[in-house]
Amino acid sequence: MNVLKSLALVSAIALTGAMTLTACSSAEEAETVDNPRYNPATNEVLANFVFNVSTGNGDTRQSSAATQALEDELFRGIDNAVLFSFKNTTDGTHVATGTTADKRFDFAQVLAPYTVSSANTRRVIETSLPLNTNALLFYGKAVEGITTERDYVTAYDVYGHLDSYSIPEDNDLSKISFSLGKRLSGDNLTKYRQIENLLSSILTALMNTNLAGTNHVSFTAGAKPLDVDEMAPYGFDVAVTDYPEDLTWESYANTSGTSPVETTHELYPLEKKLADIYREMVSIKNAAGEVRAGSGYAQRLIIHDLWTNINEVRCSTPLNKPEAIAKYFAHRVAIRLRKYLNGKMPSNGGPVAEVTFRDPLAIIDELRADEWPATADAKPTDFSLISTSDNLNYFPYSFDMPYGAAHLEYNATKKQFFYVKNFNTNAMGDRVVTIENYSYSPELLYFGNSPIRVTNEEKRTADYPQTVAAWDDDAMWTADWQKNSHVVSSTQGVAMQNDINYGTSLLKTTVRYGATKLNDNNHAIQKAKVPTLADSDEPDKQLTVDATSFQLTGIIIGGQPKTVGWDYIGKAADPFNSWIYDRAISSPAIPAPGAGASTPNYTLVFDNYRNLEYQDKVYVALEFINNSGEDFFGEYGMVRKDSHFYLIGELDPERSGLAAIEWPAHHPLPPYNEDGTSKQVKRVFMQDYMTSAEFVIGANSLKHAYLTVPDLRYSSLTLGLSVNIKWSTGLNFNNVILGGEE
């Protein structure tokens, strides 16, 4: 997403009386005062409500502009502003619990974008303030930004989005809630599921190709496939009695390694190729933690490889009847492939080219007419929301989701592919995570909670201290001001003692290389297939990286509360299982090794305080695209060139060596104790603070590259990144190695 300003932003709110009032200490006394601005019926004084804002005057429009992270960002304005007044039992206190306010003020857009600058920091609003008010509470959010959509990146991606900005009319703070905006809901979610069903059905149909029924035929030695006349003939006469009536692709991948046609003979070379393709397609090691990439792009690459291998078998010259049957089987697979995909299939057995999914409506028609395995669940039929304009090659990114959000699994009993609906829940009991848990970043939100200063002297707007530093300095206030006081009928000016701050937190992300040569996971992958492999066999590939090798395309942050309450702290009853996906990356480039870190990217997040006893680690998945020009092996499989992959970093608030947090000197930070003091508990994200994380791609990080986004709550994640984090004015995480290995 894109970013916050360290809060020299809103320095304060001031309330000033416009006329001199006769001093009195109670409403009864005030009734005898000849004061046209005092209303004895309501016990309120008409006053001027004054904002004092300190902001820079630069004109940069980087990702930082959306969150005002830098001092020179233009001020985005404050909208949906609400002020509450309170009569606390004791002066000098702020609101500490979700109580009911004394009065509510709705100000809508109190400041338009760009109306505040270093030369013009104030605006005055006239309003009525109840007598005996001694605390004020302020809410607001930045004015919604506008951006030109590009590569599916929307204004929601750039500026954040909330499903709920709810401040109920009854002034009950306990009912206030701010909820992250789901990326998928309603018809969009239904359509997403329909495309999942379509894509998984294509794989199910393909991998259940068989020579049963109308496909169980005889052919002669000189026969050629009808679609490519120049292709080599089968070479042998084959009768229907020469091979089983129910010969399936799985038959070749039998555990005995024997030919399904000549059961006393080991697999012939063409048969073995069919067996190897089948095993690679269906052997998804879910129990071991493997997740298979299910994006349209990944499926297209996988099927492209499958088709190329099938074409080799289809165009080969068989040496015996079993191989002639394998050649015919490959021809049947190729016919099915053409039902669903476009591609140029050479008759010489060369690589298939220009593979793309066909028009989705054409695919749906083919699927409805195609064979379906009897072992599988009923064939999906509802594709009502899918249209010709839906490009399957860009699923699920076209739904504002990361490419790696789509995970495939295979049910060997049903012989059917499915998309993973619920992610691994081992670490969170019965709390499940699905694609519905992906959210936009929260919007830029404001929060002010403060006792007040009062004065009996009439003040002009210019009399109030300018800038945050001056506002927080008692010496900058004249002697007539009383700190920690309350409103009486003689009050001429009222000011919030504490600054207005951000209700959201911020993650600043940078990435750098920790080595010039990066090792992939080839040896471990091959060793898992052939346990007898010697340590010196199949060594890891080494990739030499430079400034063009990888690009950062997204950031996924786990463990976020779906909803926060009046104090911007997660509600105890709600799970912390939302994942924020930020794809509005300011600059995707990663400098060459030794040339420093990438340009910072800024992502708004919610405070992740859980309770006094326990604070969560936060897992962050960085999404990269492989521009190295080379394929490499990651944690479980091959990361193809030009495809996306994910590395995981851990942000642990108890990590040794972190600097102490600098807690605010002029206001207690939520959550609050009953006496109003702050529960000063260290956690990864704290509202109004920026956590800085420098992620490092180390020499062995690629060994732990995921093709899809794994469960970011799972405690046994294999880490690919090392991290340093810090708070602005607090903790600092440096050198967080992706994968946890140097």
Side-chain angles (χ1 to χ4, degrees), residues 691-709:
T691 300
S692 297
E694 180 189 68
F695 294 96
V696 181
I697 302 175
N700 292 311
S701 289
L702 297 187
K703 291 180 179 291
H704 309 298
Y706 289 89
L707 293 173
T708 56
V709 182

Side-chain angles (χ1 to χ4, degrees), residues 78 101 170 179 234 258 285 312 315 415 431 473 643 686:
I78 298 178
D170 64 2
S179 298
Y234 289 107
T258 57
K285 306 175 187 66
E312 289 180 6
C315 298
K415 298 179 176 52
R431 294 175 181 171
D473 185 353
S643 65
M686 304 194 315

Side-chain angles (χ1 to χ4, degrees), residues 639-650:
V639 177
R640 296 289 302 275
K641 59 184 178 182
D642 302 324
S643 65
H644 291 79
F645 67 96
Y646 299 83
L647 293 173
I648 312 301
E650 178 187 81

Side-chain angles (χ1 to χ4, degrees), residues 411-427:
N411 187 304
T413 302
K414 295 181 178 181
K415 298 179 176 52
Q416 186 173 5
F417 285 88
F418 296 94
Y419 275 86
V420 178
K421 295 297 190 293
N422 298 332
F423 297 99
N424 188 311
T425 59
N426 291 354

Side-chain angles (χ1 to χ4, degrees), residues 36 55 73-74 94 106 127 140 165 180 257 306 324 337 360 406 409 456 513 554 564 591 641 668 670 677 731:
T55 184
E73 304 298 0
L74 289 175
H94 59 280
D106 289 285
T127 190
Y165 180 85
L180 293 173
L306 178 151
L337 282 162
E409 59 184 346
N456 291 339
Y513 289 111
V564 295
K641 59 184 178 182
T677 57
L731 296 179

Side-chain angles (χ1 to χ4, degrees), residues 67-84:
T67 54
Q68 298 173 176
L70 306 179
E71 289 298 328
D72 63 353
E73 304 298 0
L74 289 175
F75 178 60
R76 288 180 50 202
I78 298 178
D79 204 351
N80 296 95
V82 177
L83 182 73
F84 290 108

Side-chain angles (χ1 to χ4, degrees), residues 221-432:
K224 300 177 182 179
L226 298 178
D227 55 342
V228 186
D229 289 341
E230 68 271 21
M231 197 185 80
Y234 289 107
F236 296 87
D237 291 331
V238 175
V240 293
T241 55
D242 287 332
Y243 61 97
E245 293 185 17
D246 59 349
L247 184 64
T248 66
W249 201 339
E250 187 182 24
S251 302
Y252 288 101
N254 62 75
T255 56
S256 63
T258 57
S259 167
V261 175
E262 291 184 13
T263 56
T264 59
H265 195 284
E266 66 182 11
L267 288 165
Y268 290 97
L270 295 188
E271 292 181 313
K272 186 175 186 306
K273 187 174 284 287
L274 289 177
D276 289 343
I277 297 170
Y278 186 87
R279 290 194 187 97
E280 287 296 324
M281 288 296 296
V282 304
S283 299
I284 304 175
K285 306 175 187 66
N286 299 99
E290 179 185 1
V291 283
R292 179 72 59 83
S295 69
Y297 182 83
Q299 278 210 39
R300 183 165 59 84
L301 289 178
I302 292 169
I303 294 174
H304 189 170
D305 289 343
L306 178 151
W307 201 346
T308 291
N309 281 283
I310 285 295
N311 198 45
E312 289 180 6
V313 178
R314 189 184 72 96
C315 298
S316 295
T317 301
L319 300 179
N320 47 56
K321 277 190 178 183
E323 288 201 331
I325 294 166
K327 178 184 177 76
Y328 173 62
F329 194 98
H331 173 60
R332 296 303 310 167
V333 175
I335 290 174
R336 220 165 195 177
L337 282 162
R338 281 184 162 176
K339 291 177 182 286
Y340 303 117
L341 295 104
N342 304 305
K344 292 185 176 180
M345 188 169 56
S347 61
N348 63 0
V352 179
E354 299 179 23
V355 175
T356 58
F357 285 105
R358 294 182 62 194
D359 180 291
L361 296 188
I363 292 176
I364 291 168
D365 288 341
E366 293 286 2
L367 179 64
R368 285 172 174 159
D370 204 357
E371 300 173 57
W372 191 251
T375 53
D377 292 343
K379 185 192 301 183
T381 58
D382 183 7
F383 304 110
S384 56
L385 297 179
I386 300 176
S387 69
T388 299
S389 63
D390 292 310
N391 191 331
L392 302 184
N393 299 287
Y394 293 102
F395 172 83
Y397 194 74
S398 54
F399 283 81
D400 299 343
M401 298 284 283
Y403 278 106
H407 303 185
L408 276 171
E409 59 184 346
Y410 180 75
N411 187 304
T413 302
K414 295 181 178 181
K415 298 179 176 52
Q416 186 173 5
F417 285 88
F418 296 94
Y419 275 86
V420 178
K421 295 297 190 293
N422 298 332
F423 297 99
N424 188 311
T425 59
N426 291 354
M428 299 293 286
D430 60 355
R431 294 175 181 171
V432 298

